[in-house]
Amino acid sequence: MTSSSRYLVSVTRLIPAERQWLFDVVADPAQHPVIDGSGSVKAARPGGPDRLSLGARFSMDMKLGADYRILNTVVEFDEPELIAWRHFNGHIWRYRFTEAPGGTVVTEEWDARSARNRLALVLLRFPQRNRAGMIATLDRLAELAAARS
């Protein structure tokens, strides 16, 4: 299921896996390139935390046309239900984990409501591109969970 507004995109999927295990995958920056469906997350930068927590700062090697690095700060953290980090522009990547019959409902959100350059993000079609990448990310997370079983 997907929903979106001009500055908020949300994708939800039921994944047949334990909530804590799914949370642990997302809380591990080294796993971000494994689950990233956008193709833009390349690697966790050395020197960052092995596991995210509130206030943790971590950098990633990225590629969107050109290679670059991005610094993130964890701004929301309620284990095993919620984790979110903010980029330099102020937009937030958020994951919610809710127990459900058959597994865990995972919701990924791209929230640009607090971004400094919101209009530029919309004009560059980030909401549409991110929606497609988020669907693929949740597919990859489900594949990782299935391979684990």
Side-chain angles (χ1 to χ4, degrees), residues 14-16 98-105:
L14 175 66
I15 298 178
T98 306
E99 289 183 353
T104 304
V105 174

Side-chain angles (χ1 to χ4, degrees), residues 90-146:
H91 55 284
I92 295 171
W93 289 97
R94 181 180 294 115
Y95 288 82
R96 299 179 190 277
F97 305 88
T98 306
E99 289 183 353
T104 304
V105 174
V106 181
T107 301
E108 182 180 2
E109 295 175 349
W110 175 79
D111 186 349
R113 292 176 294 184
S114 61
R116 290 187 262 303
N117 296 313
R118 292 184 313 179
L119 184 57
L121 293 170
V122 170
L123 293 174
L124 293 169
R125 302 186 49 78
F126 275 97
Q128 296 85 350
R129 283 193 278 173
N130 288 339
R131 182 181 309 107
M134 291 160 64
I135 291 167
T137 294
L138 294 187
D139 288 347
R140 285 182 171 205
L141 190 56
E143 289 167 6
L144 191 62

Side-chain angles (χ1 to χ4, degrees), residues 18-94:
E18 303 85 21
R19 178 169 66 165
Q20 183 66 57
W21 184 83
L22 292 164
F23 184 92
D24 289 342
V25 170
V26 176
D28 178 356
Q31 293 298 314
H32 292 190
V34 175
I35 63 171
D36 171 51
S38 73
S40 63
V41 180
K42 298 304 177 192
R45 300 280 307 153
D50 292 332
R51 189 168 197 285
L52 301 179
S53 59
L54 187 62
R57 296 172 62 108
F58 66 104
S59 285
M60 304 299 288
D61 286 331
M62 307 287 292
K63 182 171 183 121
L64 187 61
D67 292 333
Y68 64 100
R69 295 177 185 160
I70 195 156
L71 177 63
N72 307 287
T73 302
V74 177
V75 293
E76 298 172 21
F77 190 90
D78 184 12
E79 186 170 348
E81 298 174 5
L82 171 70
I83 187 168
W85 52 86
R86 175 171 296 165
H87 289 348
F88 68 94
N89 186 41
H91 55 284
I92 295 171
W93 289 97
R94 181 180 294 115

